[in-house]
């Protein structure tokens, strides 16, 4: 912990008191949470970013979309638009945000919407002619105005919430007690070979009577551009430029064997300006540019079209996949969305 975070400790205490009072008001019904007679699954975290919400939402889409009409609802972080927007052919990362645009491009069979006011967003989705049967709320664990029927809490293996503290001293958006609202906890970004002893130790420290699963990031073997593809093995044999504008890019760079001098790092959800594009082009000097799927959504420009590829990832449970699937499908199979 750096000196600045230690100095800001009183602010963390104050912020913790404010969020605890807010949660108390919702828990006791003084502030009202709105429920919907539809299946609503909220995926989120206690910490500030970097837990793998996007691949987890995609895993739920793959599980549910073949059997139900699914919609995702996000706030559309850093988008240049306001209010409720339902994705269509004219949408882009500027109007939707990068993650919702990624959902729309990968899963054309679902509805993708954005609205900072999740309650209004759900109401708008339910007004659609083909209204959804399941709504996945992206990054909505602290959005207490809506009461989801099922809460999935994500916590990263290298930044477990119970070892953290409230911002700005730590990275938590609210106190650790917020984990008690979860119906399920997934420890994300684990080493694929994590031992059962390590898993049991984490479960014991979490200390909650809810299903706890462990997942890792699974990288695909193929890179994709807008029109072409190439194997990761072929890519590693050449010197390329690797670019990331995500919260924690270390594992992405390590997987591709990046040399520090060939990497470019930007802030999470960074909007790439024309000067950024030119700098990237100049850095590459005709080489292949490899980026994350989320960054690819924001980097699609004719200037980089011939050089730019992305590496898809998936969230993959280390064990008990059938148990996870059964819990989710059992919830969606209930008659009431808020049971």
């Amino acid at each position: 912990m750096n000196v600045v975070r230690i100095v800001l400790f009183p602010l963390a205490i104050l912020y913790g008191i404010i969020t605890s009072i807010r949660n108390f008001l919702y828990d006791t019904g003084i502030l009202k949470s709105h429920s919907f007679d539809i299946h609503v699954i909220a995926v989120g975290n206690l910490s500030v970013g970097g837990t793998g919400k996007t691949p987890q939402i995609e895993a739920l889409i793959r599980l549910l979309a073949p059997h139900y009409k699914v919609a995702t609802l996000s706030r559309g972080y850093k988008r240049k638009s306001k209010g409720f927007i339902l994705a269509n052919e004219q949408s882009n990362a500027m109007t939707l945000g990068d993650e919702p645009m990624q959902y729309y491009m990968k899963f054309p069979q679902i509805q993708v919407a954005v609205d900072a006011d999740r309650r209004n967003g759900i109401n708008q989705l339910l007004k659609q002619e083909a209204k959804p049967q399941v709504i996945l709320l992206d990054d909505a664990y602290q959005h207490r105005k809506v009461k989801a029927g099922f809460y999935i809490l994500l916590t990263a293996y290298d930044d477990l919430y119970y070892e953290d503290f409230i911002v700005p001293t730590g990275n938590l958006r609210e106190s650790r007690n917020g984990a008690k609202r979860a119906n399920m906890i997934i420890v994300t970004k684990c080493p694929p070979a994590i031992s059962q002893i390590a898993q049991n130790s984490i479960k014991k420290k979490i200390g909650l009577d809810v299903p706890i699963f462990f997942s890792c990031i699974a990288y695909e073997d193929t890179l994709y551009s807008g029109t072409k593809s190439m194997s990761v093995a072929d890519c590693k044999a050449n010197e390329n430029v690797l670019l990331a504008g995500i919260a924690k890019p270390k594992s992405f760079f390590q997987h591709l064997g990046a040399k520090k001098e060939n990497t470019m790092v930007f802030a999470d959800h960074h909007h790439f300006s024309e000067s950024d594009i030119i700098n990237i082009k100049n850095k590459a000097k005709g080489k292949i540019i490899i980026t994350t799927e989320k960054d690819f959504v924001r980097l699609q420009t004719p200037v980089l079209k011939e050089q730019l590829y992305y590496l898809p990832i998936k969230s993959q449970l280390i064990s008990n996949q059938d148990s996870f699937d059964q819990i989710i499908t059992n919830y969606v199979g209930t008659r009431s969305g808020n049971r």
Side-chain angles (χ1 to χ4, degrees):
M1 187 180 297
N2 62 40
V3 175
V4 174
R5 288 200 166 199
I6 294 173
V7 170
L8 294 174
F9 181 74
L11 289 179
I13 295 295
L14 177 60
Y15 181 73
I17 291 171
I18 292 170
T19 56
S20 294
I21 291 172
R22 175 179 179 270
N23 282 330
F24 172 79
L25 294 176
Y26 275 110
D27 292 341
T28 56
I30 296 172
L31 292 179
K32 301 297 182 183
S33 295
H34 189 80
S35 299
F36 293 87
D37 191 20
I38 185 175
H39 298 95
V40 178
I41 301 175
V43 178
N45 47 33
L46 296 183
S47 62
V48 181
T51 58
K53 291 184 296 295
T54 302
Q56 186 55 54
I57 289 284
E58 292 184 355
L60 290 170
I61 294 171
R62 292 187 184 96
L63 173 64
L64 297 172
H67 313 288
Y68 299 93
K69 295 176 183 176
V70 174
T72 63
L73 178 60
S74 314
R75 62 171 167 161
Y77 185 61
K78 285 197 173 182
R79 62 185 170 122
K80 299 299 183 181
S81 59
K82 293 183 179 180
F84 175 83
I85 295 179
L86 185 64
N88 58 40
E89 292 179 357
Q90 282 71 50
S91 298
N92 55 46
M94 300 293 282
T95 58
L96 291 180
D98 50 14
E99 290 155 346
M101 189 63 199
Q102 181 175 316
Y103 302 148
Y104 179 70
M105 291 172 64
K106 290 182 76 170
F107 304 102
Q109 74 273 36
I110 72 167
Q111 293 174 304
V112 175
V114 293
D115 197 334
D117 183 342
R118 304 304 206 288
R119 179 175 173 178
N120 179 68
I122 293 174
N123 281 324
Q124 293 299 321
L125 281 169
L126 295 180
K127 290 179 182 177
Q128 303 300 313
E129 184 175 349
K131 68 179 182 180
Q133 297 168 301
V134 184
I135 296 177
L136 305 177
L137 295 183
D138 184 7
D139 196 15
Y141 199 81
Q142 284 79 33
H143 198 89
R144 302 292 308 268
K145 288 183 180 180
V146 168
K147 181 174 175 58
F150 197 92
Y151 287 90
I152 300 177
L153 175 65
L154 309 181
T155 182
Y157 173 80
D158 62 353
D159 191 19
L160 295 160
Y161 76 85
Y162 58 75
E163 296 176 343
D164 207 344
F165 200 76
I166 296 171
V167 294
T169 298
N171 294 314
L172 297 185
R173 300 173 176 180
E174 59 175 303
S175 80
R176 302 167 192 172
N177 287 331
K180 295 178 181 178
R181 298 197 302 276
N183 298 100
M184 174 191 290
I185 295 175
I186 302 177
V187 182
T188 63
K189 301 185 177 181
C190 297
I194 182 174
S195 68
Q196 192 61 53
I197 293 174
Q199 293 181 43
N200 291 339
S201 175
I202 291 172
K203 288 180 180 180
K204 185 176 180 180
K205 290 175 182 177
I206 288 175
L208 297 175
D209 187 22
V210 297
I212 300 174
F213 295 90
F214 295 81
S215 71
C216 62
I217 293 297
Y219 293 92
E220 290 197 16
D221 296 326
T222 305
L223 300 169
Y224 299 91
S225 70
T227 57
K228 299 175 290 184
S229 64
M230 65 183 295
S231 74
V232 171
D234 289 343
C235 148
K236 285 183 176 180
N238 301 307
E239 198 168 273
N240 307 290
V241 170
L242 277 71
L243 182 158
I246 57 177
K248 296 178 180 179
K250 183 178 178 181
S251 61
F252 169 73
F253 290 142
Q254 286 180 337
H255 179 75
L256 292 171
K259 298 177 181 178
K260 188 174 182 180
E261 62 268 23
N262 292 336
T263 62
M264 300 185 75
V265 180
F266 294 85
D268 195 16
H269 300 281
H270 178 75
H271 277 304
F272 294 96
S273 64
E274 288 186 19
S275 62
D276 289 332
I277 300 297
I278 293 171
N279 288 337
I280 294 167
K281 183 80 173 177
N282 292 338
K283 171 88 173 180
K285 296 179 180 178
K287 300 173 185 173
I288 293 295
I289 302 166
I290 305 171
T291 190
T292 69
E293 194 167 6
K294 188 166 71 170
D295 290 310
F296 182 80
V297 170
R298 288 176 277 118
L299 275 168
Q300 293 187 71
T301 167
V303 176
L304 301 177
K305 184 177 180 181
E306 297 303 317
Q307 299 170 254
L308 187 66
Y309 288 76
Y310 68 89
L311 176 62
I313 62 172
K314 289 183 180 180
S315 176
Q316 179 174 293
L317 291 184
I318 291 170
S319 61
N320 301 316
Q321 182 69 57
D322 289 345
S323 177
F324 172 87
D325 293 353
Q326 193 66 56
I327 291 169
I328 298 299
T329 53
N330 281 351
Y331 162 66
V332 175
T334 58
R335 187 173 179 182
S336 170
N338 285 286
R339 281 184 60 181

